[in-house]
Protein backbone atom coordinates (compact mmCIF):
# COMPACT_ATOMS: atom_id res chain seq x y z
CA UNK A 1 0.00 0.00 0.00
CA UNK A 2 1.59 3.22 -1.10
CA UNK A 3 1.32 6.75 0.17
CA UNK A 4 -1.21 9.12 -1.24
CA UNK A 5 -0.57 12.07 -3.51
CA UNK A 6 2.03 14.47 -2.27
CA UNK A 7 3.95 11.81 -0.38
CA UNK A 8 7.36 13.26 0.30
CA UNK A 9 10.50 11.48 1.42
CA UNK A 10 13.44 13.62 2.41
CA UNK A 11 16.95 12.71 1.39
CA UNK A 12 19.37 11.77 4.20
CA UNK A 13 21.08 15.15 3.91
CA UNK A 14 17.76 16.72 4.97
CA UNK A 15 17.18 14.41 7.93
CA UNK A 16 17.68 16.20 11.25
CA UNK A 17 20.94 15.39 13.03
CA UNK A 18 19.69 13.81 16.22
CA UNK A 19 22.92 14.69 18.02
CA UNK A 20 22.00 18.41 17.88
CA UNK A 21 19.72 18.76 20.88
CA UNK A 22 19.02 21.31 23.54
CA UNK A 23 20.71 20.96 26.89
CA UNK A 24 17.39 19.91 28.46
CA UNK A 25 16.82 17.13 25.94
CA UNK A 26 20.36 15.82 26.21
CA UNK A 27 19.81 15.13 29.94
CA UNK A 28 16.92 12.78 29.23
CA UNK A 29 17.65 9.15 28.37
CA UNK A 30 16.41 8.11 24.96
CA UNK A 31 14.78 4.88 26.20
CA UNK A 32 14.06 3.75 29.75
CA UNK A 33 12.32 0.59 30.96
CA UNK A 34 11.34 0.54 34.60
CA UNK A 35 10.33 -2.70 36.30
CA UNK A 36 9.31 -4.47 33.09
CA UNK A 37 7.78 -7.91 33.69
CA UNK A 38 6.01 -10.27 31.30
CA UNK A 39 3.98 -13.38 32.06
CA UNK A 40 2.65 -15.94 29.60
CA UNK A 41 0.19 -17.72 31.84
CA UNK A 42 2.21 -19.33 34.60
CA UNK A 43 5.50 -18.72 32.76
CA UNK A 44 7.49 -15.68 33.91
CA UNK A 45 9.41 -14.56 30.80
CA UNK A 46 10.71 -11.29 32.28
CA UNK A 47 10.93 -10.18 35.89
CA UNK A 48 11.45 -6.56 37.01
CA UNK A 49 13.85 -5.49 34.23
CA UNK A 50 15.04 -1.87 34.46
CA UNK A 51 17.41 -0.48 31.85
CA UNK A 52 18.19 2.70 29.95
CA UNK A 53 19.92 3.71 26.73
CA UNK A 54 21.08 7.15 25.67
CA UNK A 55 20.88 8.86 22.29
CA UNK A 56 23.77 7.84 20.04
CA UNK A 57 24.60 4.79 22.15
CA UNK A 58 24.89 1.10 21.27
CA UNK A 59 23.59 -1.34 23.87
CA UNK A 60 24.69 -4.95 23.52
CA UNK A 61 21.96 -7.28 24.79
CA UNK A 62 23.15 -10.79 25.57
CA UNK A 63 21.83 -13.96 27.15
CA UNK A 64 21.34 -17.63 26.47
CA UNK A 65 18.36 -18.99 24.55
CA UNK A 66 15.25 -18.50 26.66
CA UNK A 67 16.82 -15.73 28.72
CA UNK A 68 14.14 -13.21 27.73
CA UNK A 69 15.94 -11.18 25.05
CA UNK A 70 13.32 -11.74 22.37
CA UNK A 71 10.47 -11.01 24.77
CA UNK A 72 12.04 -7.72 25.85
CA UNK A 73 12.69 -6.66 22.27
CA UNK A 74 9.14 -7.57 21.23
CA UNK A 75 7.79 -5.43 24.05
CA UNK A 76 9.82 -2.45 22.81
CA UNK A 77 8.71 -3.14 19.23
CA UNK A 78 5.02 -3.24 20.21
CA UNK A 79 4.45 -6.96 19.61
CA UNK A 80 3.76 -7.68 23.30
CA UNK A 81 2.42 -5.54 26.11
CA UNK A 82 4.28 -5.84 29.42
CA UNK A 83 2.44 -7.40 32.36
CA UNK A 84 3.96 -4.73 34.60
CA UNK A 85 6.34 -1.79 34.35
CA UNK A 86 6.72 1.37 32.31
CA UNK A 87 8.51 2.40 29.11
CA UNK A 88 9.60 6.00 28.51
CA UNK A 89 11.01 7.51 25.32
CA UNK A 90 12.70 10.91 25.65
CA UNK A 91 11.27 11.22 29.15
CA UNK A 92 7.64 10.56 28.21
CA UNK A 93 5.71 7.38 29.13
CA UNK A 94 4.55 5.39 26.11
CA UNK A 95 2.16 2.47 25.64
CA UNK A 96 2.34 0.27 22.56
CA UNK A 97 -0.68 -1.80 21.55
CA UNK A 98 0.77 -2.85 18.21
CA UNK A 99 4.02 -2.41 16.20
CA UNK A 100 2.76 0.67 14.34
CA UNK A 101 2.47 2.45 17.71
CA UNK A 102 6.17 1.82 18.36
CA UNK A 103 7.12 2.95 14.86
CA UNK A 104 5.25 6.22 15.37
CA UNK A 105 7.44 6.80 18.43
CA UNK A 106 10.61 6.25 16.39
CA UNK A 107 11.25 2.56 17.15
CA UNK A 108 12.39 0.37 14.24
CA UNK A 109 13.35 -3.32 14.19
CA UNK A 110 15.73 -5.15 11.87
CA UNK A 111 14.82 -8.84 12.23
CA UNK A 112 17.28 -11.67 11.84
CA UNK A 113 15.69 -12.81 8.57
CA UNK A 114 15.65 -9.13 7.42
CA UNK A 115 12.13 -9.54 5.90
CA UNK A 116 13.36 -8.64 2.41
CA UNK A 117 11.74 -9.57 -0.91
CA UNK A 118 14.49 -11.33 -2.88
CA UNK A 119 12.80 -10.76 -6.24
CA UNK A 120 12.67 -6.97 -5.82
CA UNK A 121 15.35 -4.30 -6.18
CA UNK A 122 17.09 -2.64 -3.26
CA UNK A 123 15.05 0.55 -3.72
CA UNK A 124 11.76 -1.37 -3.89
CA UNK A 125 12.64 -3.10 -0.60
CA UNK A 126 13.58 0.18 1.07
CA UNK A 127 10.17 1.65 0.16
CA UNK A 128 8.14 -1.55 0.49
CA UNK A 129 4.65 -0.54 1.63
CA UNK A 130 5.56 3.17 1.53
CA UNK A 131 5.97 3.72 -2.21
CA UNK A 132 5.64 7.38 -3.30
CA UNK A 133 2.97 7.91 -5.96
CA UNK A 134 2.68 10.37 -8.84
CA UNK A 135 -0.41 11.31 -10.82
CA UNK A 136 -0.86 11.57 -14.56
CA UNK A 137 -4.44 12.72 -15.09
CA UNK A 138 -6.67 10.11 -13.42
CA UNK A 139 -3.83 7.57 -13.27
CA UNK A 140 -1.55 7.17 -10.27
CA UNK A 141 1.73 5.31 -10.54
CA UNK A 142 4.77 4.55 -8.42
CA UNK A 143 7.55 7.13 -8.59
CA UNK A 144 10.48 4.78 -9.14
CA UNK A 145 12.80 7.66 -10.01
CA UNK A 146 12.23 9.18 -6.58
CA UNK A 147 12.65 5.80 -4.89
CA UNK A 148 15.97 5.20 -6.63
CA UNK A 149 17.27 8.70 -5.84
CA UNK A 150 16.41 8.56 -2.13
CA UNK A 151 17.72 4.99 -1.81
CA UNK A 152 21.00 5.97 -3.50
CA UNK A 153 21.43 8.81 -0.98
CA UNK A 154 20.73 6.46 1.92
CA UNK A 155 23.28 3.91 0.70
CA UNK A 156 25.81 6.69 0.15
CA UNK A 157 25.35 7.90 3.70
CA UNK A 158 25.78 4.36 5.00
CA UNK A 159 28.87 4.07 2.77
CA UNK A 160 27.45 0.92 1.25
CA UNK A 161 28.23 -0.24 -2.26
CA UNK A 162 24.61 -1.36 -2.69
CA UNK A 163 22.95 -0.01 -5.85
CA UNK A 164 19.24 0.93 -5.83
CA UNK A 165 18.38 -1.16 -8.91
CA UNK A 166 20.30 -4.24 -7.77
CA UNK A 167 18.16 -7.30 -7.01
CA UNK A 168 18.30 -8.40 -3.38
CA UNK A 169 18.79 -12.07 -4.28
CA UNK A 170 22.17 -11.16 -5.83
CA UNK A 171 23.45 -9.32 -2.77
CA UNK A 172 25.96 -10.26 -0.10
CA UNK A 173 24.93 -10.50 3.55
CA UNK A 174 26.40 -7.06 4.26
CA UNK A 175 24.51 -5.47 1.39
CA UNK A 176 21.24 -7.07 2.52
CA UNK A 177 21.76 -5.60 5.99
CA UNK A 178 22.36 -2.20 4.37
CA UNK A 179 18.99 -2.46 2.61
CA UNK A 180 17.22 -3.38 5.85
CA UNK A 181 18.91 -0.52 7.74
CA UNK A 182 18.20 1.99 4.94
CA UNK A 183 14.53 1.02 5.19
CA UNK A 184 14.47 1.98 8.87
CA UNK A 185 16.01 5.40 8.12
CA UNK A 186 13.01 6.47 6.04
CA UNK A 187 11.04 7.02 9.24
CA UNK A 188 13.84 9.00 10.95
CA UNK A 189 14.09 6.52 13.85
CA UNK A 190 15.21 7.29 17.37
CA UNK A 191 15.87 3.64 18.24
CA UNK A 192 16.90 0.77 15.97
CA UNK A 193 16.94 -2.79 17.30
CA UNK A 194 18.97 -5.40 15.43
CA UNK A 195 18.48 -9.13 16.01
CA UNK A 196 21.59 -11.23 15.30
CA UNK A 197 22.67 -9.07 12.31
CA UNK A 198 26.01 -10.87 11.89
CA UNK A 199 24.72 -14.46 12.02
CA UNK A 200 25.70 -16.74 9.12
CA UNK A 201 27.75 -14.20 7.13
CA UNK A 202 31.45 -14.03 6.27
CA UNK A 203 34.11 -12.22 8.31
CA UNK A 204 34.32 -9.43 5.71
CA UNK A 205 30.54 -9.00 5.74
CA UNK A 206 30.55 -8.92 9.56
CA UNK A 207 32.94 -5.95 9.40
CA UNK A 208 30.59 -4.19 6.97
CA UNK A 209 27.59 -4.69 9.26
CA UNK A 210 29.50 -3.43 12.33
CA UNK A 211 30.46 -0.32 10.34
CA UNK A 212 26.77 0.23 9.54
CA UNK A 213 25.96 0.07 13.26
CA UNK A 214 28.66 2.65 14.01
CA UNK A 215 27.17 4.97 11.40
CA UNK A 216 23.76 4.70 13.01
CA UNK A 217 25.35 5.65 16.33
CA UNK A 218 27.13 8.58 14.68
CA UNK A 219 23.72 9.87 13.53
CA UNK A 220 22.58 10.02 17.16
CA UNK A 221 20.40 6.92 16.82
CA UNK A 222 20.22 4.53 19.77
CA UNK A 223 20.98 0.94 18.75
CA UNK A 224 20.05 -2.21 20.66
CA UNK A 225 22.19 -5.05 19.34
CA UNK A 226 21.03 -8.57 20.18
CA UNK A 227 23.81 -11.05 19.46
CA UNK A 228 25.47 -14.26 20.62
CA UNK A 229 28.75 -13.14 19.05
CA UNK A 230 30.91 -11.77 21.86
CA UNK A 231 33.55 -10.13 19.60
CA UNK A 232 30.84 -8.13 17.80
CA UNK A 233 29.36 -6.82 21.05
CA UNK A 234 32.75 -5.79 22.41
CA UNK A 235 33.65 -4.20 19.08
CA UNK A 236 30.73 -1.75 18.78
CA UNK A 237 28.74 -1.60 22.04
CA UNK A 238 29.02 1.24 24.56
CA UNK A 239 27.09 -0.63 27.25
CA UNK A 240 26.24 -4.26 27.84
CA UNK A 241 23.20 -5.87 29.44
CA UNK A 242 22.89 -9.56 30.23
CA UNK A 243 19.62 -11.41 30.86
CA UNK A 244 19.40 -14.81 32.54
CA UNK A 245 16.10 -16.62 33.10
CA UNK A 246 14.17 -13.40 32.60
CA UNK A 247 16.19 -11.32 35.04
CA UNK A 248 18.73 -8.60 34.32
CA UNK A 249 22.01 -9.75 35.91
CA UNK A 250 24.33 -7.13 34.41
CA UNK A 251 24.16 -3.58 33.06
CA UNK A 252 27.40 -1.66 32.80
CA UNK A 253 29.74 0.13 30.37
CA UNK A 254 31.41 -2.32 28.02
CA UNK A 255 34.80 -1.00 29.15
CA UNK A 256 34.03 -2.22 32.68
CA UNK A 257 33.35 -5.81 31.62
CA UNK A 258 35.13 -8.62 29.78
CA UNK A 259 34.18 -11.60 27.61
CA UNK A 260 35.04 -13.91 30.49
CA UNK A 261 32.71 -12.06 32.87
CA UNK A 262 29.86 -12.02 30.33
CA UNK A 263 30.27 -15.76 29.70
CA UNK A 264 30.05 -16.38 33.45
CA UNK A 265 26.94 -14.20 33.72
CA UNK A 266 25.22 -16.00 30.85
CA UNK A 267 25.96 -19.47 32.21
CA UNK A 268 25.30 -18.62 35.86
CA UNK A 269 28.90 -19.15 37.00
CA UNK A 270 28.75 -15.48 38.06
CA UNK A 271 25.52 -14.55 39.83
CA UNK A 272 25.42 -10.84 38.93
CA UNK A 273 27.69 -7.89 38.11
Amino acid sequence: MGNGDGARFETPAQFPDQTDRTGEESRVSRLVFSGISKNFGAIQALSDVSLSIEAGEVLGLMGDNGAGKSTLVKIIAGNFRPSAGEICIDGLPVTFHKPIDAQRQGVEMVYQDLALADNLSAASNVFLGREPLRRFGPIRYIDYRRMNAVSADLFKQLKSETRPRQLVRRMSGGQRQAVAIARTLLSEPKIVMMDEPTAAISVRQVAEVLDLIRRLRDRGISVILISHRMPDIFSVADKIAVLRRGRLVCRKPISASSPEEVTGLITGAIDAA
Side-chain angles (χ1 to χ4, degrees):
M1 178 177 175
N3 293 288
D5 295 337
R8 180 171 175 267
F9 294 93
E10 296 177 330
T11 62
Q14 296 170 305
F15 288 160
D17 182 352
Q18 297 184 37
T19 59
D20 293 334
R21 296 178 171 82
T22 66
E24 181 180 356
E25 290 173 324
S26 64
R27 291 194 294 270
V28 177
S29 294
R30 169 55 50 79
L31 173 67
V32 177
F33 344 116
S34 302
I36 296 294
S37 297
K38 179 63 179 177
N39 302 324
F40 295 97
I43 298 173
Q44 184 85 30
L46 290 173
S47 181
D48 196 26
V49 174
S50 296
L51 192 61
S52 66
I53 180 171
E54 310 303 317
E57 187 173 70
V58 178
L59 171 69
L61 182 60
M62 301 198 75
D64 207 350
N65 293 332
K69 304 187 303 299
S70 295
T71 302
L72 181 61
V73 166
K74 287 178 180 178
I75 288 173
I76 304 167
N79 298 104
F80 297 151
R81 293 190 65 183
S83 303
E86 182 181 62
I87 301 174
C88 292
I89 294 180
D90 290 336
L92 300 175
V94 295
T95 301
F96 302 145
H97 298 278
K98 50 188 180 295
I100 190 64
D101 295 335
Q103 291 174 348
R104 288 170 179 158
Q105 293 292 333
V107 179
E108 291 282 350
M109 180 75 192
V110 179
Y111 292 96
Q112 185 172 354
D113 64 3
L114 302 181
L116 299 178
D118 285 353
N119 61 317
L120 297 180
S121 69
S124 293
N125 271 277
V126 168
F127 279 88
L128 194 61
R130 296 179 285 188
E131 294 85 352
L133 301 177
R134 299 191 68 178
R135 182 184 291 275
F136 182 75
I139 301 172
R140 292 193 301 172
Y141 60 96
I142 296 174
D143 189 353
Y144 287 104
R145 179 179 296 180
R146 179 65 176 157
M147 288 167 54
N148 288 332
V150 173
S151 297
D153 283 338
L154 287 167
F155 295 138
K156 181 178 179 181
Q157 180 176 345
L158 292 171
K159 298 183 181 177
S160 171
E161 297 177 357
T162 305
R163 297 185 299 275
R165 293 180 175 83
Q166 186 176 1
L167 291 179
V168 166
R169 66 168 174 260
R170 297 176 181 170
M171 293 180 183
S172 68
Q175 288 177 311
R176 293 168 67 91
Q177 284 286 348
V179 174
I181 292 172
R183 184 169 58 193
T184 70
L185 294 180
L186 277 183
S187 60
E188 301 177 25
K190 297 177 180 179
I191 301 157
V192 173
M193 298 180 290
M194 305 184 70
D195 186 10
E196 300 288 353
T198 56
I201 60 177
S202 70
V203 173
R204 179 176 178 273
Q205 292 166 2
V206 167
E208 292 175 8
V209 172
L210 297 181
D211 282 342
L212 291 173
I213 294 171
R214 294 184 184 101
R215 290 182 191 116
L216 290 177
R217 176 176 58 193
D218 292 344
R219 287 176 60 92
I221 296 170
S222 303
V223 180
I224 299 177
L225 174 61
I226 304 100
S227 180
H228 285 90
R229 290 175 56 96
M230 201 85 66
D232 297 349
I233 294 291
F234 276 84
S235 175
V236 297
D238 301 294
K239 291 196 303 193
I240 189 165
V242 179
L243 289 169
R244 187 175 69 242
R245 296 181 180 178
R247 294 184 177 275
L248 186 68
V249 295
C250 172
R251 56 183 175 198
K252 61 168 59 176
I254 198 78
S255 58
S257 187
S258 67
E260 293 77 18
E261 180 184 58
V262 173
T263 300
L265 289 164
I266 291 172
T267 60
I270 300 174
D271 185 53

